[in-house]
Amino acid sequence: MIIKKQNREKRTVYRRASRPTRQTQVNVGQAQKIIGQKKDEHIKIVPLGGLEEVGRNMTYLEYHNPGSPHHGDIIIIDMGLQFPEENMPGIDYIIPNVSSLIPKREKIKGIIITHAHYDHIGGIPHLMPKLGRNIPILGTDLTLAIIKKRQADYKPATPLNLKEINTEKKVKAGAFQLEFFGISHNIPASMGIIINTPVGVLVHTGDFKLDVKSDIAGKTEIEKIKALGNKNVLLLMSDSTNASSAGHQFSEKEITLEIESIIKNATGRLIIGTFASLLGRLNEIIQIAEKHDKKIIIEGYSMKTNIEIATQLGYMKFNKKTVIHIGDMANYPPHKIIILATGAQGEDNAVLMRIVNKRHRYLRIQPTDTVVFSSSVVPGNERSVQHLTDKLYRDGAEVINYRMLDIHAGGHAKQEDLKEMIQMIKPRYLMPIEGNHSFLKIHAKIGRQAGLKDNQIIVSDNGQITEAYKDNVQLTKEYVPANYVMVDGLGVGDMQEVVLRDRQALAQDGIFVIIAVVDSQNGKVKGSPDIISRGFIYLRESRKLLYNTRQLTLKIIEETASNIHPVNWEYVKEVLRERLGKFLFSQTEKRPMVLPVIIEV
C-alpha cells in the first residue's frame, strides 16, 4: 500500500464521535458502583480501534491492583491506521485516539507490534510524540525495519526505542510476561502474543491464517499453538477480518502452483499487480521467474523498499541478475518480461493506474500483455478496481483476477480456521477483534459452534472496556474516547468537524461566489456583481438565473445597508448568504456553499 503525501508534514484533526457517551471518561469508582463490579485484581482491555472497522488496530491492557507496585502498568498491542471513507474528502487516513493514555503514559511498559502492515503500524509516527519516545516498541526484525524506514519519511522524525524480538524470546513488561508464536499471514515475521498476567493467560492472535503446508507467508508454529490448550487460557482475542467467509483459507503452496502455470505459459509480458507487503508471494514469483529464465521488473516505491529490506534480512532470496531496470526492458522479448506492480486496488497514483492512464514514463499496455491481479479486492475498492479492469481490457490486455483462478490466498483465517484456533487453544472466554461489527458477531457464532456459551463470548465496541478477573471476563459499560483522529496532508494543526462538513458540501453541491463592489458612503452597489460558480451550475446555460441572482443581490445589499448606521458589512454578508441560498434552492433544488464577497470603495 502507498500512503499519500507521506513525505509532507501532516495535520492531525479530530472528529466528534457519533456516540457522545464515548467521549466522556467515566470515573472508575462510579462505573463500579453503577454495574456492581468487584474491586478485585483485574486486567482492563481497552480497544482504541479495530473493533468496528478493518484497520486502525490498537488495544491496550492495563493491570489494576492498588496493593501491587505494578498497579497501572500498561502494554499496547499495535498502533495502526485506517484508510478514509468516501465521505471524508481530503483526509489521508485515520488513526486511534490516545487521549485516555496520555495522562498515564509513564506507566506504559511496552508496545508490541504483531506485523508490519500499515493497519498495525501506520499510527506510530503520529502517536509516539504524544506518548513518549522512550517507550520500547517490540517487533520482529522485518517489522522493525519497515517501521524504521517509514519513520524516516516523516520530518522531523521522532526517534524510536525499537527492541527486536523473535518467537523464542520471553519479555517482561511490568506486570506482564510476554511470549510469542509464529503465524502465517501475508507478510513474513508475523506473530501472535501470549500474555501471562497475574489473573491468567491472555492470547492475541494478530492477523493470521492457518497454513501448515507452507512457510512462504510466515511459519505457523502449530505445536506451540496447540500447547496453549493445556495452559487454561483465560481469554482469546482472535482476528475476525475474514469471519464472513466459509471454509478454510488457501495455502500459499497451492497458490504457487497456479502462479507457476501462468508464468510458464505466458506468451507476452506479464504484469502482476499485488500488495507491496506480500513479500512471501513476491519472493515466490521471482524464484519461479528464475526457474523459467525470465526477468523481473519491480515498479512502485513501497514495493521496491519492502523487497530491499526483506532481501537484506534474508526473507527473500534470489539471483540479483533476475531483476532488471525498466530501461533495459527492450533488450528482452516480451514473453521474458514479468513486471511486479503496485496498484491492484485501483489507487490513483499507483503503478497500474498510471500505466492505463498513460502517465507512466516507460510502460504502456500492449495487446499481448496479461495482467494478473494477485490480490482480492479490499471492501470499498470494488468500483476503482472495476474501472481499472475496464481500462485494461479497452487497451487490449488479457486480465486474470483471483476469481478466475485461485491466485490469491488471503492473509486471514476463514470460518473453519477460526473454529480450529478456538478448539486448539480452548479459551475460557473469546473476544473477536479486528473487523466490522458484523464480522465480530459472525465470529461469536463460530465460537458457539466451537463449544462456547453466550456468556463466554465478549463482543465489544471501540473504546468499551472489558475487565478480565481470575474467574471471569466481563464487558463493562465504561468507555474511553475512541473517536476518529484524521490526518490531513496540508500541515499540522487541529481542524474542527465543520471543515469536513464544508468539504462534503462542496463535493455534493459545489460553490457559488458572488462579488459586489459597494460605495461605503451610501451603501449603493457599483456596477453588476460578479459571479463564480464551481460544481453547481454551468454558467453559460444559466443566464436567466444569473440575471435574477444579480438583481436580488443588489436589492438585498441596498435594503440591508440602508437600515443600519454605521453599516455592519458582516451582517450584510450574512443576510446575503442566507437569502441567496434560499433563492438558489428554490430555483435549482440544490444547496451550494454561498460565499458573498463585499468590496468597499
Side-chain angles (χ1 to χ4, degrees):
M1 288 186 281
I2 296 175
I3 299 297
K4 300 181 290 183
K5 311 169 190 170
Q6 63 182 11
N7 291 319
R8 300 172 61 187
E9 275 192 309
K10 301 287 179 179
R11 165 179 293 161
T12 304
V13 299
Y14 296 82
R15 188 180 79 175
R16 294 189 296 274
S18 58
R19 289 178 288 256
T21 55
R22 299 189 182 184
Q23 304 314 299
T24 302
Q25 176 75 48
V26 178
N27 178 274
V28 175
Q30 181 185 8
Q32 289 175 339
K33 183 178 180 181
I34 292 172
I35 61 176
Q37 295 174 344
K38 300 176 182 178
K39 295 184 180 179
D40 296 343
E41 176 182 53
H42 62 273
I43 302 291
K44 288 186 175 184
I45 301 163
V46 188
L48 297 180
L51 265 65
E52 298 178 46
E53 62 278 304
V54 175
R56 202 167 56 110
N57 296 292
M58 183 175 180
T59 298
Y60 70 87
L61 280 62
E62 181 178 355
Y63 177 56
H64 181 87
N65 184 357
S68 168
H70 291 298
H71 175 62
D73 283 357
I74 293 171
I75 59 170
I76 298 170
I77 301 174
D78 291 328
M79 198 174 285
L81 60 76
Q82 175 190 349
F83 287 97
E85 300 166 6
E86 288 186 359
N87 63 346
M88 298 179 184
I91 300 302
D92 287 339
Y93 43 86
I94 309 158
I95 57 177
N97 184 333
V98 295
S99 60
S100 63
L101 278 170
I102 291 175
K104 43 195 178 187
R105 57 189 171 189
E106 298 301 324
K107 298 294 288 183
I108 301 174
K109 302 303 179 182
I111 300 167
I112 306 99
I113 304 297
T114 57
H115 63 285
H117 283 160
Y118 280 175
D119 59 332
H120 294 258
I121 69 171
I124 291 175
H126 308 284
L127 300 180
M128 288 310 296
K130 297 176 180 293
L131 297 178
R133 61 182 63 186
N134 292 321
I135 301 171
I137 298 177
L138 285 63
T140 57
D141 52 358
L142 178 62
T143 298
L144 295 186
I146 293 176
I147 289 172
K148 186 176 181 181
K149 178 63 178 70
R150 186 165 188 266
Q151 193 74 4
D153 290 334
Y154 290 83
K155 308 298 181 186
T158 302
L160 300 176
N161 182 12
L162 302 177
K163 301 291 185 182
E164 184 180 324
I165 58 171
N166 56 49
T167 59
E168 300 304 316
K169 284 193 174 183
K170 298 181 180 181
V171 177
K172 179 174 174 58
F176 305 92
Q177 302 280 345
L178 306 174
E179 301 176 66
F180 312 95
F181 57 94
I183 52 169
S184 298
H185 185 33
N186 50 26
I187 185 170
S190 301
M191 63 181 187
I193 311 168
I194 304 165
I195 309 160
N196 299 287
T197 80
V199 303
V201 179
L202 315 180
V203 176
H204 189 293
T205 65
D207 288 0
F208 82 96
K209 65 177 178 178
L210 295 177
D211 188 351
V212 295
K213 297 179 182 178
S214 170
D215 294 344
I216 292 172
K219 180 178 177 60
T220 300
E221 294 186 329
I222 196 73
E223 295 305 320
K224 191 179 286 189
I225 295 172
K226 288 180 178 178
L228 290 169
N230 300 319
K231 288 194 172 184
N232 193 28
V233 169
L234 176 61
L235 176 67
L236 170 63
M237 294 173 276
S238 183
D239 175 20
S240 308
T241 308
N242 217 4
S244 59
S245 298
H248 291 280
Q249 187 57 271
F250 289 109
S251 167
E252 285 289 337
K253 184 175 181 180
E254 297 164 338
I255 307 311
T256 298
L257 297 175
E258 296 283 2
I259 290 177
E260 179 162 15
S261 175
I262 293 170
I263 290 174
K264 178 181 177 181
N265 297 316
T267 57
R269 293 188 309 185
L270 269 181
I271 302 174
I272 302 178
T274 190
F275 295 117
S277 58
L278 290 178
L279 294 171
R281 177 80 52 79
L282 292 169
N283 188 45
E284 286 298 301
I285 292 172
I286 296 174
Q287 290 183 351
I288 293 170
E290 284 183 2
K291 178 179 176 181
H292 294 281
D293 192 29
K294 299 196 176 188
K295 298 298 181 182
I296 292 285
I297 294 169
I298 302 169
E299 280 295 288
Y301 172 80
S302 56
M303 188 176 288
K304 288 179 181 179
T305 298
N306 287 351
I307 289 176
E308 181 181 351
I309 291 171
T311 303
Q312 291 173 354
L313 294 174
Y315 288 97
M316 297 185 71
K317 297 177 181 179
F318 52 85
N319 188 331
K320 292 183 178 180
K321 293 183 179 179
T322 302
V323 179
I324 64 172
H325 187 270
I326 193 167
D328 297 328
M329 181 173 55
N331 298 330
Y332 301 89
H335 72 281
K336 291 291 185 180
I337 296 294
I338 301 173
I339 300 162
L340 301 179
T342 57
Q345 300 301 308
E347 305 97 315
D348 283 342
N349 294 317
V351 173
L352 283 178
M353 192 60 81
R354 285 192 284 120
I355 292 173
V356 298
N357 288 334
K358 299 177 174 53
R359 291 188 289 112
H360 195 283
R361 181 178 177 183
Y362 293 98
L363 293 172
R364 296 287 185 274
I365 293 297
Q366 299 173 1
T368 56
D369 288 343
T370 299
V371 180
V372 180
F373 287 88
S374 186
S375 59
S376 55
V377 179
V378 174
N381 291 343
E382 294 86 355
R383 183 179 298 179
S384 57
V385 172
Q386 185 61 53
H387 178 65
L388 173 61
T389 302
D390 289 343
K391 281 180 169 287
L392 289 167
Y393 273 112
R394 190 176 293 277
D395 288 342
E398 184 66 33
V399 178
I400 302 174
N401 62 40
Y402 76 103
R403 291 189 182 92
M404 298 175 183
L405 293 172
D406 293 332
I407 53 173
H408 177 67
H412 301 271
K414 293 184 178 181
Q415 291 177 4
E416 293 303 316
D417 305 311
L418 295 174
K419 185 188 297 183
E420 186 175 345
M421 179 66 83
I422 296 167
Q423 292 170 336
M424 285 191 292
I425 294 179
K426 301 181 177 69
R428 285 183 277 163
Y429 291 86
L430 168 68
M431 183 177 181
I433 58 173
E434 300 180 5
N436 298 326
H437 185 75
S438 60
F439 300 173
L440 309 186
K441 285 294 184 69
I442 295 170
H443 198 165
K445 182 178 179 180
I446 295 167
R448 289 190 290 272
Q449 293 171 355
L452 295 174
K453 298 179 181 178
D454 286 346
N455 61 0
Q456 293 176 282
I457 300 171
I458 307 294
V459 177
S460 178
D461 288 327
N462 291 332
Q464 189 172 13
I465 296 175
T466 297
E467 293 184 344
Y469 297 84
K470 289 182 179 179
D471 56 353
N472 75 88
V473 179
Q474 59 189 33
L475 187 64
T476 76
K477 296 179 181 179
E478 183 183 355
Y479 287 87
V480 303
N483 55 297
Y484 285 167
V485 177
M486 291 174 280
V487 177
D488 188 315
L490 298 177
V492 178
D494 293 346
M495 184 165 56
Q496 300 300 319
E497 184 181 0
V498 65
V499 178
L500 193 60
R501 289 202 306 267
D502 285 348
R503 291 181 180 180
Q504 293 166 353
L506 288 169
Q508 185 172 355
D509 289 317
I511 187 172
F512 189 87
V513 182
I514 187 153
I515 306 167
V517 179
V518 180
D519 189 320
S520 59
Q521 300 298 318
N522 56 28
K524 299 293 184 181
V525 177
K526 292 192 170 187
S528 178
D530 290 327
I531 292 174
I532 301 172
S533 176
R534 294 292 184 271
F536 170 51
I537 56 172
Y538 185 44
L539 296 181
R540 291 184 181 179
E541 296 180 356
S542 307
R543 293 180 180 176
K544 183 178 179 181
L545 176 63
L546 297 180
Y547 173 80
N548 291 335
T549 303
R550 288 188 173 98
Q551 294 301 114
L552 181 59
T553 300
L554 293 171
K555 180 180 178 181
I556 293 171
I557 292 176
E558 293 182 358
E559 283 182 356
T560 309
S562 65
N563 294 328
I564 309 172
H565 297 284
V567 178
N568 182 338
W569 293 109
E570 288 301 318
Y571 173 73
V572 173
K573 286 196 291 184
E574 192 62 39
V575 173
L576 188 60
R577 180 184 295 110
E578 181 180 350
R579 291 182 60 182
L580 282 182
K582 290 180 178 178
F583 171 73
L584 293 173
F585 179 76
S586 70
Q587 300 297 308
T588 65
E589 294 190 357
K590 297 178 182 178
R591 291 187 175 90
M593 181 179 292
V594 178
L595 297 180
V597 178
I598 295 178
I599 302 173
E600 300 174 60
V601 294

